[in-house]
Amino acid sequence: MRLPDYHTHTARCGHAQGRPGDYVEAAQARGLLSIGIADHIPLLPEADPELSMDACELGDYVSEILALKERFPGYVLLGIEADYRPHTVSQVRSLLESQPFDYAIGSVHHLQAWGFDDPRQIDGYEHRDIDAAWIDYLELVGDAAESGLFTILGHLDLMKKFGYRPSRALDAELDRLVERIARAGMLVEINTAGLHKPVGEAYPTLDILRRLCAAGVAVTFGSDAHRPEEVGRDFAHAVDLARKAGYEEFASLVANPDGGRARVQSKPLEASAAGAGSHLATPSQPTGS
Ligand SMILES: [Zn+2]
Ligand SMILES: [Zn+2]
């Protein structure tokens, strides 16, 4: 099956490897439908060279991906992953508006000053009420959905990364979040990177995907690759998850020739032939539009 991978990082992020061209090559070798490069936007309020490019590199990043877009028309998209943090919304908005991004992935990586998915800050879980942290987190993701800044919500339940899960099912909170996402018309990615983190499962969990599907929220795919060989990783598993959740279609992005954000196109989600394998097996025929 031909799927897109919209969540990939390159060496510019300071903690990933490979150049954008290597990622495009890997996507083609794997028979992906298309690829979006989504390096992390310059970190705010303070730069962190281990997490993202510096503000002065943004122009070079954009030029480099635009050159690839020209070389591979219809195949490469210019994306960006940006944080949703209440006190940096207006700065992020200006950065997003300053460049011709085809799409933006909106991610919550922080609760106030705490970078809860950063292995260097894992001790932050030790002296916290985990349920309260989850509730705050889900609220912020809902705010991100309603901010109008983003196209795709990234790794929706990232807070489970190190295995810290809520002690009870957060049904009311999740239903409220899903309703906010649906009303905002956001896309949600099935992000396979979680399979390789301590939690050992994709983001978001099947239970959340079922709620999203029932609410009519469209899904798409992201590997969160930090090396070219991780492009499209575990997408057969992601397709199985989507189908188990009830999805029969996925969202694909098509660059807007008039500029502005990409248009969303639905494509049929065929059953994966490979089951819960690792990479896409072989390129199958295009699914049309
Ligand atoms: Zn992220
Ligand atoms: Zn990422």
Side-chain angles (χ1 to χ4, degrees), residues 274-285:
S278 53
H279 289 301
L280 282 174
T282 44
S284 55
Q285 64 266 55

Side-chain angles (χ1 to χ4, degrees), residues 70-91:
E70 231 163 82
R71 245 178 81 201
F72 301 91
Y75 196 75
V76 176
L77 289 175
L78 168 61
I80 192 92
E81 180 178 16
D83 296 290
Y84 182 82
R85 303 183 77 175
H87 61 295
T88 63
V89 165
S90 60
Q91 287 162 282

